[in-house]
């Protein structure tokens, strides 16, 4: 479990829980090389693993908040 007021960078597999922007900052992001998280959250908006399993599962990903919705993007 990782909780941060800022961004979270995982240089490996993200498992368990990752909570970025814990202080309410919606500009924070979560970066990982292998997305297998149980829960991700940015500024109180969260997704559980069943919402994460899709095109980015097991791949490098960036999670951000856009228009009050979590968005997954390819980590470039």
């Amino acid at each position: 479990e990782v909780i941060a007021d800022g961004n979270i960078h995982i240089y490996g597999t993200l498992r368990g829980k990752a909570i970025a922007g814990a202080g309410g900052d919606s500009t924070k992001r979560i970066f990982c090389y292998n997305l297998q998280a149980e829960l991700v959250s940015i500024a109180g908006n969260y997704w559980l693993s069943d919402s994460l399993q899709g095109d980015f599962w097991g791949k490098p990903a960036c999670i951000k908040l856009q228009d009050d919705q979590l968005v997954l993007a390819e980590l470039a």
Side-chain angles (χ1 to χ4, degrees):
E1 185 171 310
V2 179
I3 300 173
D5 283 333
N7 295 320
I8 294 175
H9 296 258
I10 304 294
Y11 299 105
T13 301
L14 172 56
R15 294 190 177 102
K17 300 174 186 174
I19 300 167
D25 189 344
S26 61
T27 64
K28 301 309 176 191
R29 298 179 180 200
I30 299 169
F31 304 91
C32 66
Y33 285 159
N34 183 346
L35 179 62
Q36 295 183 30
E38 174 184 322
L39 176 142
V40 295
S41 174
I42 298 177
N45 294 280
Y46 68 92
W47 276 352
L48 299 173
S49 64
D50 54 342
S51 297
L52 296 167
Q53 294 179 15
D55 294 341
F56 296 99
W57 189 255
K59 297 180 182 172
C62 170
I63 301 135
K64 63 182 178 178
L65 197 59
Q66 184 175 337
D67 299 324
D68 292 325
Q69 301 250 352
L70 289 177
V71 175
L72 290 168
E74 183 177 354
L75 185 62

